[in-house]
Amino acid sequence: QQQQQQQQQQQQLSGAGSYHCCCKFNKCEDGATSDDDKTLAVYTPDENLCCKLKKKACGASFAFSAYKKSMQEEYCRAPQVARYVPPAIKHAGASEHVADANAASPEPGSAMHTVHSYCSLDHGNDEDSEAEGDRTMSPARHELVQELVTELSKNSINEMAREIFSVYVCMRWAPSSDFRKIAEEEMSTNQLFEQPVFQHYEDSTFLPLRCSRNVNVYGNDVGLGHTHYEAFAAEIESLVQWFSVEETGAVEKRLEILERARRAKNSELVQSLARAFDMDAVREAVRKCKGNEKTTMLVNAHEAPIVDLLADCAASSWWLTKLEDWQSAMPFVSFMTPDNKTAKEHAPQKKEEVLVCFGKRVASQLHRRENGGHLMTDQSAVGCHGFWDMPTAAKMLQRIVQLWRPPTCQLAAMELDMKMNIMELMAQMNSNLFDALPAMLVEEMSGDVNLDGMALQASNGLGIFKGVWGSIASSFSSLRGQYSRLGNLLGNTVVKWVVCPLKPITDQKHLEDLDKALGTEDDLSRYYAKTAYAKFTGEKDLLPGEDCHQQGSLPGTNECQLGVMQEDMPEPYKSEDFLCPVRPLLPAKQQLKIFKKKVDTCMLHMSSPQMSEAKWFYRGLTPSRKQYEVMENLPMPKHQAIKIMSMRSRPDTNFSIWRDFVTVATGCSLEERDATPRFCEAPRVANPSKGKLTNLLTGAAMAGRVVGSIAGEAAEVAKLKEETGKNAAHTQRLGEWFHTKIKGLEKSMRSGYAAWLGRASGRYQRLREKLFDEVESSELVHSVSFQRGLGTSGADSKARAQYNRYAVTVPCPGFDPEKEFDLKYTWAEKSLILAKKAQKFGSDIFAKRGYLSGFRVEVRGAAVLHVKDARNAWLAYSAHVRAAPLGAPLPEFVRSKNPFVEDMSGAFSIADQRLSGSDLNGFAASFACGTRQEMHDGEQSSFPTFADCVKHGAMFNEPHRLDHPSETFFPKEIVVRVFFEPLEFCNHGVVADTTNTASDVENPVFKNFMNIDGCASLSKPYPKDLAKEASSGTYRGMLLGKGLPQETLTEVLLDPADFLKEINL
């Protein structure tokens, strides 16, 4: 009758012409018809829509109709029913291992089918003449096939590792009668405290759950030419579609109403609503309707009271179908029983219904409660996330499918980790036996030795084992030798189980089908054997990146293997080309720690522009995308060397996820090292520091030479050293020093040094960014990883190409990046200060033609001795500068009160009574400008003047770098080179004064000054400032310094743009 009625309605609709299918949210009234007065209104209970044909458009003005929602024509033909339809996939399980292969033909592609169809097991029997998949087996053959299949499935590390990759979902359910029985049993066995079951439900101390089957990635027997991932994705998609449809369906709506009643603590309503989910009650209602079936549902499927729902025969029949569909989608019964406190604080609320879980569901043996009436197991929730509402749960399942696509390597990497964990446990079994051997040998050779209650002590003789120790030691040594030899053997040996010889195959299609059913070789166990037996063999450097003895493809480099990659690992995905590791890659942080430990060794590294140019993209920040390209990526001379400095954990700026960030220092590329080796060596430093002492008054670091005088004075105070003669001029000396320096600084600040400090700060930052970088750890590992094709090995019939993934090391002895940065920055700033001073000797000093392209600045410290009487002697210090174009005569020295120049001259922090000929400095700085290559090679600049060169460099360099973003060495880049060298000699002289008494001569300052040696005599005329000092009545002598300041970087390179910002050309 129902079919005939639907056929009639379809015939009517086919001629409906301009009618519109309009719907309202509610049940249909009994006898409701369309505007044609013939077609009955149609109720779709899941969506709670009553639909009929209307002459006017749905929701039209002046239609005065409740049917305002426009729907597809199908809604006016018949009720729209959504059913749970799982994909037609054969699940592999224990049944395959024990199935009777003669009862039905095994699925092509399964281990059973492959062994049965292709293995020659009957030793010459004619029936093995050709591979056929449909032949029945003799009992003996059947038994052997079963044994082989069991070994291949049950005793397979590969299968053990893959079984864990599965997903299941659980849905919060109503406290139906089956759940109420479970809760009552939990209370009767004291697992749940006593109170009414519905009260537990309302308090969330008993949470009923219905759960899906486990959807295994590798749990299906897929047909030939198909992949496990395709089957997995199809199963997950069926759940996604089910959730998408049911999120607005009647079951979900009734669960929502039940949840509102639970939260409102309306026990009576909860009990009434829960009855709708009692399968026995619903089945009984349907049974009573037999012979009285209705085709039209006259109740609201979403909200009708349970009595009305079950009394309507059409509704009860439809509702039973819905519950059965849900049981098909979620066939397993589970529950959660949080304690009161946990339930109050953390129980799921409102639409938080779906739990999504990774891994195996069963976490214990099958058991029952004491006197219990249910079989149960513990259910693992370790890999669960949620509770989600249904749309979010569907989206999370789709994300899992997306994330686990083979090109992302998520599955491949986790499978490798799982295999390594399994093999580690197997190796531990072996190790435990070995560790137990000494005690077991003692028991075997000396009988029952009772060691209970005896504490172990350090050896002092053989004790109670003296008589048998020799034979025990001999036996143990022999066993250890066996372990060692086996370990060395297995570490470099292929071990294969030959499952069976193949039958002769003459049909090409049979051969192709066989290869479709087969997988690939996996040498992971052989690779891990070296690690497993390292305890016995003494093997070292087994972790990826530790052994770097393989000579690299570039001269002077070595290679460190990081892993092996393979095409289509673990299985192909559509037509996409991708690689995944077949040997596990170390986590980035661990890999970088291995690199950091390498002494005087740097890693070749690709910059971001170089990676983009090579299409060597790091995709770890988007793990659901393809991670590794099928390509070679070989090291190039333009790749820079880096040194790992430090690591820190911080949230990233894109996703606010805590990650490890690594600071690296960049060195030269190989091509730069070859073209300009001097610029790539460790900096050449004159007068290297032997330690520094911090001035506790100022916090400033004082040069090492001051340490001696301070330590000497401290020793005198401690009476550990004989006192020298006293000098009373300390106050005058210190006062003069503070007055001149502080006043000088104040004047400098007023004259523009504040602006200079701002520019100096910018230069500091730019140099820091040039020499150092901070990179996320995984991205850094990718940037130091290179890849070379290994071709196909012939190890299996899949012929998938493999690639060696490796890092490249270069020697970098003495590379101290922080020290190098300090020196480069410090002496670049000092060079700019000297250039600024040179400008005061004429504006044409940088542009004067007829001389070499550059200029020379000389700085000299001076100390003038003054003596007032026997107890008052002091030294007045000053700094003097002169400059001229290279090759031109130098003018007279002029005093500089610039505190930085005074500091370079050595005029600060000198103890008067310990002044020596080497304490004051005298040096020259020679400035030249040209290309980087010219400045390295010592060639004459190609520019007519220094100023022309600097101006050109300031305009040329930055655009040149931007035009070549993947280059790291720019031989045509313009640089300013500064050479520092000491003056030839110091000058010293003392005025002979007959008025000096013997006590005057004993003044420690005077006496020390008189004994200064190693200097040439003073020559006149003196510079004007010194001549004025020499005319003073207290003048007794003068010292002019020579030598470079402490920690002088003898060669400095400046950026022309920085030069122009300080010196106006």
Side-chain angles (χ1 to χ4, degrees):
Q1 283 180 340
Q2 189 173 2
Q3 289 176 352
Q4 289 175 356
Q5 191 174 15
Q6 289 177 358
Q7 288 173 358
Q8 291 174 0
Q9 291 203 183
Q10 289 174 4
Q11 291 171 0
Q12 293 168 358
L13 283 170
S14 63
S18 59
Y19 282 99
H20 304 274
C21 185
C22 302
C23 306
K24 69 173 182 177
F25 285 104
N26 210 333
K27 65 182 180 64
C28 295
E29 300 301 326
D30 191 12
T33 59
S34 299
D35 284 0
D36 62 0
D37 296 326
K38 298 178 182 178
T39 307
L40 292 175
V42 177
Y43 181 55
T44 296
D46 246 334
E47 299 178 57
N48 196 27
L49 282 176
C50 179
C51 302
K52 61 169 63 172
L53 294 171
K54 304 290 289 182
K55 291 180 180 179
K56 292 186 177 181
C58 309
S61 300
F62 306 109
F64 304 109
S65 171
Y67 294 81
K68 300 180 183 296
K69 185 174 180 61
S70 177
M71 296 298 291
Q72 295 92 337
E73 186 179 313
E74 289 81 2
Y75 279 79
C76 287
R77 289 178 178 172
Q80 301 302 299
V81 179
R83 301 295 305 272
Y84 173 66
V85 183
I89 297 170
K90 180 180 177 182
H91 290 268
S95 59
E96 181 192 17
H97 309 144
V98 297
D100 184 354
N102 288 324
S105 179
E107 183 75 16
S110 67
M112 173 69 78
H113 181 271
T114 302
V115 172
H116 169 43
S117 302
Y118 296 97
C119 276
S120 176
L121 302 173
D122 292 329
H123 307 292
N125 191 319
D126 287 340
E127 82 169 336
D128 281 342
S129 61
E130 179 63 51
E132 298 176 8
D134 59 355
R135 186 173 53 251
T136 60
M137 293 183 279
S138 66
R141 178 186 176 89
H142 175 260
E143 183 179 350
L144 183 53
V145 169
Q146 287 291 126
E147 188 174 347
L148 289 174
V149 171
T150 299
E151 288 295 311
L152 289 169
S153 54
K154 289 293 189 182
N155 289 327
S156 166
I157 292 176
N158 190 66
E159 295 303 313
M160 286 177 66
R162 287 183 162 193
E163 282 180 354
I164 195 68
F165 302 118
S166 64
V167 178
Y168 68 92
V169 297
C170 293
M171 177 90 174
R172 284 172 60 206
W173 202 246
S176 54
S177 57
D178 49 352
F179 281 106
R180 295 198 295 272
K181 290 175 184 176
I182 295 169
E184 287 164 355
E185 185 175 296
E186 289 294 287
M187 288 188 287
S188 70
T189 56
N190 298 319
Q191 309 304 311
L192 189 62
F193 61 90
E194 193 71 38
Q195 70 175 18
V197 172
F198 284 108
Q199 188 62 51
H200 275 298
Y201 174 75
E202 291 171 18
D203 295 341
S204 294
T205 50
F206 182 82
L207 299 177
L209 302 172
R210 294 208 71 92
C211 300
S212 72
R213 299 173 181 85
N214 268 66
V215 183
N216 290 72
V217 176
Y218 300 105
N220 302 309
D221 283 337
V222 296
L224 293 178
H226 297 281
T227 66
H228 290 94
Y229 175 81
E230 291 172 358
F232 167 75
E235 282 201 83
I236 292 292
E237 184 59 28
S238 68
L239 279 174
V240 169
Q241 292 299 324
W242 174 247
F243 282 160
S244 299
V245 169
E246 289 296 317
E247 66 179 83
T248 57
V251 172
E252 169 63 6
K253 290 301 178 184
R254 285 190 170 270
L255 286 173
E256 284 183 17
I257 296 169
L258 179 62
E259 172 64 13
R260 287 199 295 270
R262 183 197 70 79
R263 294 177 61 224
K265 302 293 184 181
N266 190 337
S267 299
E268 185 177 345
L269 182 57
V270 166
Q271 293 180 43
S272 173
L273 294 169
R275 283 188 57 215
F277 295 87
D278 290 346
M279 291 292 290
D280 290 342
V282 178
R283 287 194 180 103
E284 178 60 21
V286 173
R287 188 187 63 78
K288 289 179 179 179
C289 285
K290 281 189 177 180
N292 187 30
E293 290 87 356
K294 283 187 176 181
T295 59
T296 305
M297 189 185 304
L298 299 177
V299 295
N300 186 321
H302 287 201
E303 298 176 353
I306 183 59
V307 174
D308 296 344
L309 181 71
L310 298 185
D312 186 303
C313 288
S316 62
S317 178
W318 174 85
W319 181 245
L320 178 60
T321 302
K322 289 304 298 182
L323 292 181
E324 288 174 342
D325 270 357
W326 270 91
Q327 286 199 359
S328 176
M330 303 280 182
F332 302 127
V333 173
S334 300
F335 65 88
M336 300 173 70
T337 55
D339 61 43
N340 260 320
K341 183 175 183 297
T342 302
K344 286 179 181 178
E345 295 177 357
H346 306 294
Q349 300 294 322
K350 296 183 180 179
K351 291 188 176 184
E352 297 173 349
E353 297 172 301
V354 185
L355 199 62
V356 181
C357 301
F358 290 107
K360 295 291 187 182
R361 177 201 322 276
V362 180
S364 74
Q365 297 177 346
L366 192 65
H367 60 275
R368 69 186 181 95
R369 298 298 193 195
E370 185 177 359
N371 299 320
H374 293 84
L375 293 180
M376 56 181 62
T377 72
D378 290 285
Q379 180 168 311
S380 171
V382 171
C384 297
H385 53 97
F387 288 86
W388 307 114
D389 59 31
M390 291 184 73
T392 304
K395 188 64 179 176
M396 294 301 288
L397 289 171
Q398 289 176 321
R399 288 166 178 158
I400 293 170
V401 171
Q402 184 182 10
L403 183 64
W404 281 7
R405 290 181 307 116
T408 70
C409 294
Q410 289 276 328
L411 285 173
M414 290 189 294
E415 183 180 329
L416 284 175
D417 286 344
M418 192 65 185
K419 288 180 179 178
M420 292 290 282
N421 289 333
I422 293 170
M423 287 188 284
E424 186 176 355
L425 181 58
M426 294 161 65
Q428 187 62 44
M429 296 177 196
N430 204 11
S431 183
N432 289 348
L433 173 61
F434 184 83
D435 291 343
L437 284 176
M440 296 175 75
L441 288 171
V442 168
E443 292 176 352
E444 291 169 10
M445 294 183 180
S446 61
D448 248 350
V449 178
N450 187 3
L451 299 181
D452 292 347
M454 292 182 62
L456 284 177
Q457 296 179 356
S459 173
N460 188 21
L462 299 180
I464 63 172
F465 303 129
K466 184 174 182 180
V468 295
W469 186 254
S471 57
I472 291 172
S474 175
S475 299
F476 185 67
S477 176
S478 173
L479 291 170
R480 185 181 189 90
Q482 289 290 102
Y483 269 74
S484 177
R485 286 193 297 276
L486 181 61
N488 283 309
L489 175 68
L490 293 179
N492 296 282
T493 300
V494 175
V495 182
K496 294 281 187 181
W497 170 33
V498 180
V499 177
C500 68
L502 288 172
K503 301 172 184 177
I505 302 175
T506 58
D507 187 313
Q508 180 63 30
K509 185 177 184 306
H510 283 173
L511 184 60
E512 291 174 358
D513 287 347
L514 170 61
D515 284 335
K516 286 179 181 178
L518 298 177
T520 59
E521 181 189 54
D522 185 356
D523 71 346
L524 188 64
S525 61
R526 182 166 73 249
Y527 165 76
Y528 186 72
K530 287 187 177 182
T531 301
Y533 283 89
K535 175 177 179 178
F536 313 110
T537 63
E539 284 266 9
K540 296 180 180 178
D541 296 337
L542 297 176
L543 290 175
E546 285 187 330
D547 183 4
C548 300
H549 295 108
Q550 176 69 36
Q551 185 174 346
S553 57
L554 296 175
T557 65
N558 282 46
E559 294 180 359
C560 326
Q561 190 180 54
L562 303 181
V564 176
M565 317 294 287
Q566 183 170 292
E567 284 183 312
D568 295 341
M569 176 66 191
E571 59 184 11
Y573 177 73
K574 298 182 179 179
S575 58
E576 195 163 350
D577 295 327
F578 65 94
L579 295 176
C580 284
V582 291
R583 290 185 184 174
L585 304 174
L586 279 184
K589 186 174 183 179
Q590 186 179 355
Q591 187 66 78
L592 293 172
K593 284 182 177 179
I594 288 174
F595 293 154
K596 192 173 187 292
K597 289 178 181 177
K598 297 182 182 297
V599 179
D600 290 336
T601 302
C602 293
M603 317 300 298
L604 282 192
H605 145 273
M606 299 176 72
S607 66
S608 293
Q610 287 171 344
M611 288 195 290
S612 295
E613 182 182 66
K615 301 191 184 313
W616 186 249
F617 299 112
Y618 170 68
R619 297 197 178 106
L621 297 180
T622 52
S624 60
R625 297 178 61 192
K626 177 169 69 174
Q627 295 298 298
Y628 304 105
E629 298 287 348
V630 180
M631 61 178 289
E632 284 195 329
N633 180 47
L634 304 179
M636 300 174 66
K638 67 179 181 180
H639 295 153
Q640 283 180 299
I642 62 164
K643 183 173 184 176
I644 297 169
M645 304 298 293
S646 62
M647 299 186 192
R648 64 173 184 161
S649 292
R650 289 289 185 277
D652 66 57
T653 53
N654 290 345
F655 307 106
S656 296
I657 295 174
W658 280 80
R659 304 182 193 271
D660 296 313
F661 289 88
V662 186
T663 298
V664 297
T666 55
C668 289
S669 64
L670 294 178
E671 66 176 347
E672 184 174 4
R673 183 192 66 184
D674 292 341
T676 57
R678 190 177 73 253
F679 291 166
C680 296
E681 295 170 355
R684 301 181 184 185
V685 180
N687 298 333
S689 173
K690 296 180 181 179
K692 292 192 174 182
L693 187 74
T694 299
N695 184 330
L696 298 180
L697 293 175
T698 64
M702 298 186 295
R705 62 173 178 244
V706 183
V707 174
S709 64
I710 293 175
E713 292 178 2
E716 289 180 10
V717 172
K719 307 298 183 184
L720 300 176
K721 178 180 172 184
E722 183 180 349
E723 290 188 11
T724 58
K726 296 298 180 183
N727 179 49
H730 288 300
T731 304
Q732 179 177 348
R733 168 75 175 90
L734 193 62
E736 287 181 359
W737 188 92
F738 270 111
H739 178 76
T740 56
K741 303 318 171 201
I742 298 302
K743 290 295 182 183
L745 280 173
E746 288 176 354
K747 182 178 179 182
S748 296
M749 294 297 284
R750 287 195 300 270
S751 61
Y753 269 88
W756 173 83
L757 286 172
R759 295 191 297 273
S761 175
R763 289 190 289 271
Y764 180 99
Q765 189 62 31
R766 286 194 297 277
L767 182 61
R768 191 82 196 173
E769 290 172 357
K770 180 180 179 181
L771 297 183
F772 297 93
D773 195 10
E774 188 173 61
V775 189
E776 194 274 328
S777 60
S778 297
E779 185 173 357
L780 179 59
V781 169
H782 186 77
S783 73
V784 301
S785 299
F786 299 93
Q787 200 160 273
R788 180 186 298 113
L790 299 175
T792 57
S793 64
D796 59 61
S797 58
K798 291 296 187 183
R800 294 177 183 170
Q802 290 191 336
Y803 289 77
N804 183 34
R805 198 171 182 88
Y806 61 98
V808 178
T809 64
V810 291
C812 53
F815 183 30
D816 185 345
E818 288 292 355
K819 179 73 172 177
E820 193 167 312
F821 169 80
D822 287 344
L823 288 169
K824 286 182 176 180
Y825 176 73
T826 298
W827 285 97
E829 292 303 312
K830 290 181 177 181
S831 298
L832 291 173
I833 290 169
L834 294 178
K836 206 172 183 68
K837 279 294 174 186
Q839 194 173 29
K840 295 184 179 298
F841 288 85
S843 58
D844 63 343
I845 195 169
F846 307 121
K848 199 165 187 178
R849 298 178 183 271
Y851 294 97
L852 299 175
S853 178
F855 61 96
R856 178 183 174 95
V857 181
E858 290 187 356
V859 176
R860 198 167 200 176
V864 178
L865 174 65
H866 293 272
V867 179
K868 184 177 180 181
D869 52 41
R871 291 185 58 79
N872 289 278
W874 68 94
L875 292 169
Y877 297 93
S878 57
H880 301 264
V881 182
R882 62 180 178 180
L886 287 175
L890 287 161
E892 181 182 279
F893 276 106
V894 174
R895 183 174 181 179
S896 172
K897 294 185 179 181
N898 182 299
F900 301 103
V901 176
E902 290 179 313
D903 181 51
M904 283 187 273
S905 75
F908 288 176
S909 302
I910 301 174
D912 291 358
Q913 61 195 49
R914 287 179 176 79
L915 178 68
S916 69
S918 61
D919 284 339
L920 291 175
N921 303 322
F923 62 91
S926 299
F927 290 72
C929 180
T931 68
R932 180 175 286 271
Q933 194 68 59
E934 288 172 345
M935 292 297 95
H936 175 272
D937 297 343
E939 298 176 0
Q940 173 62 31
S941 173
S942 52
F943 294 88
T945 70
F946 180 85
D948 291 336
C949 178
V950 172
K951 291 176 183 177
H952 176 76
M955 292 186 296
F956 169 79
N957 286 351
E958 187 62 22
H960 183 59
R961 293 189 196 103
L962 293 175
D963 288 343
H964 303 84
S966 66
E967 298 299 319
T968 55
F969 173 53
F970 302 93
K972 295 182 179 179
E973 176 188 26
I974 306 301
V975 296
V976 175
R977 185 198 62 208
V978 187
F979 267 137
F980 287 91
E981 56 186 337
L983 297 183
E984 189 175 354
F985 47 77
C986 57
N987 298 92
H988 176 257
V990 179
V991 177
D993 190 344
T994 56
T995 63
N996 289 336
T997 64
S999 59
D1000 292 343
V1001 176
E1002 287 302 313
N1003 182 286
V1005 174
F1006 186 90
K1007 183 177 182 180
N1008 179 73
F1009 194 88
M1010 291 282 289
N1011 293 327
I1012 293 174
D1013 57 11
C1015 296
S1017 301
L1018 289 169
S1019 60
K1020 294 184 179 180
Y1022 303 147
K1024 290 180 181 179
D1025 292 296
L1026 292 179
K1028 185 177 179 180
E1029 286 260 14
S1031 65
S1032 167
T1034 56
Y1035 172 75
R1036 294 292 184 274
M1038 188 183 302
L1039 173 66
L1040 303 178
K1042 77 158 188 176
L1044 291 165
Q1046 196 172 47
E1047 294 279 320
T1048 298
L1049 185 60
T1050 58
E1051 186 173 20
V1052 179
L1053 298 181
L1054 302 177
D1055 187 332
D1058 290 337
F1059 193 95
L1060 274 184
K1061 287 179 181 177
E1062 295 302 327
I1063 295 93
N1064 184 11
L1065 299 181

